[in-house]
């Protein structure tokens, strides 16, 4: 893998290839895999029809492939809030994350209404015209509660339908991934003597609110690194960057 995840000298990004194989596409991101993530919050609208209905009381699964299809459909119909709900449910499950970003936070974000619609529309337009980093920059700090851990999921799925005009496709960056990269960067810093106590790694890969520059470095690193494990047993030769993202998130590759 590149010497330092987060250092600027990671080289040119490598274009993504095939989507992850069936195991990754059909694996939910966080347990419980709640297609009914807001069933206890029936006021959440619009609710994607492809998700389990609010009246459903058990656990239901939703995969990356299913959300990709939902988002493509909503983009075609220009119902971007519905796309947002689909990506949120996939990412957060029933109760949200340990940081507290559950259905209540989604309610607050959706309450922005016209401001949110404009922000999402602008993000998709900027993605298609200027690329993932510019779209990230445009969303950062625009809607209260709608931080990078959430909106990069929207950008990731939107990027499966709307290809960036230039640069790499968007990827998810959240607190779990930032902590994985912090650990890798700390290990490199310790081995090289450049960051023996991990202070730089902790600053670079903090838990939230990463700068557009940091997101650019992240995308460059992930696209460049995705093909390096191909020489190891069990890693697909045509692996795409989102497979590496999943491997880092799940702890399968450290």
């Amino acid at each position: 893998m590149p010497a330092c995840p987060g250092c600027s000298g990671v080289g040119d990004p490598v274009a993504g290839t095939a989507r992850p194989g069936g195991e990754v596409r059909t694996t939910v991101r966080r347990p419980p895999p709640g297609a009914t993530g807001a069933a206890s919050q029936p006021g959440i609208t619009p609710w994607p029809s492809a998700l389990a209905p609010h009246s459903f009381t058990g656990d239901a699964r939703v995969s990356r492939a299913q959300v990709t299809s939902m988002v493509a459909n909503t983009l075609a119909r220009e119902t971007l809030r519905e796309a947002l709900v689909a990506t949120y449910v996939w990412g957060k499950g029933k109760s949200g994350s340990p940081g507290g970003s559950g259905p209540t936070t989604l309610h607050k974000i959706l309450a922005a209404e016209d401001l949110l619609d404009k922000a999402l529309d602008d993000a998709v337009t900027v993605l298609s015209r200027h690329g993932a980093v510019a779209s990230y920059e445009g969303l950062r700090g625009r809607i209260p509660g709608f931080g990078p851990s959430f909106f990069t999921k929207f950008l990731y799925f939107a990027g499966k339908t709307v290809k960036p005009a230039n640069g790499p496709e968007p990827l998810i960056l959240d607190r779990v991934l930032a902590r994985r990269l912090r650990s890798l960067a700390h290990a490199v810093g310790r081995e090289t003597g450049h960051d023996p106590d991990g202070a730089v790694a902790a600053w670079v890969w903090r838990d939230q609110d990463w700068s557009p520059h940091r997101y650019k470095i992240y995308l460059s690193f992930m696209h460049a690194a995705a093909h390096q494990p191909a020489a190891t047993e069990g890693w697909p030769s045509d692996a795409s960057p989102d497979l590496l993202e999943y491997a880092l998130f799940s702890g399968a590759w450290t």
Side-chain angles (χ1 to χ4, degrees), residues 102-186:
T104 300
T105 300
L106 180 56
H107 269 298
K108 293 178 180 177
I109 294 168
L110 292 172
E113 296 185 341
D114 291 347
L115 291 176
L116 178 61
D117 290 339
K118 183 67 165 60
L120 297 177
D121 184 66
D122 287 350
V124 173
T125 300
V126 171
L127 177 64
S128 67
R129 294 180 180 176
H130 302 289
V133 176
S135 189
Y136 178 101
E137 184 173 13
L139 280 175
R140 185 173 179 238
R142 189 159 174 182
I143 303 294
F146 192 32
S149 290
F150 184 5
F151 71 63
T152 56
K153 295 177 178 68
F154 173 82
L155 289 180
Y156 165 74
F157 284 107
K160 294 300 175 184
T161 298
V162 179
K163 300 301 179 183
N166 56 73
E169 292 184 10
L171 292 171
I172 297 164
L173 176 58
D174 59 18
R175 180 174 57 179
V176 173
L177 287 160
R179 288 180 177 180
R180 296 276 193 270
L181 292 166
R182 183 191 311 165
S183 178
L184 292 171
H186 184 194

Side-chain angles (χ1 to χ4, degrees), residues 213-236:
H213 173 72
R214 187 56 45 201
Y215 188 62
K216 180 180 179 179
I217 296 303
Y218 169 71
L219 293 182
S220 296
F221 168 73
M222 295 293 282
H223 281 76
H227 300 284
Q228 293 200 20
T232 65
E233 183 179 354
W235 189 263

Side-chain angles (χ1 to χ4, degrees), residues 43-49 51 54 79-86 110:
I44 289 180
T45 57
W47 186 258
S49 61
L51 292 177
H54 287 303
T79 54
L80 299 186
R81 270 190 261 175
E82 191 173 324
L84 183 67
V85 171
L110 292 172

Side-chain angles (χ1 to χ4, degrees), residues 2 10 34 59 71 78 93 99 103 130 159 166 169 184 196 203 205 207 248-249 252:
V10 295
D59 287 342
V71 171
E78 298 184 347
H130 302 289
N166 56 73
E169 292 184 10
L184 292 171
W203 176 77
W205 293 114
D207 279 355
L248 282 170
F249 177 89

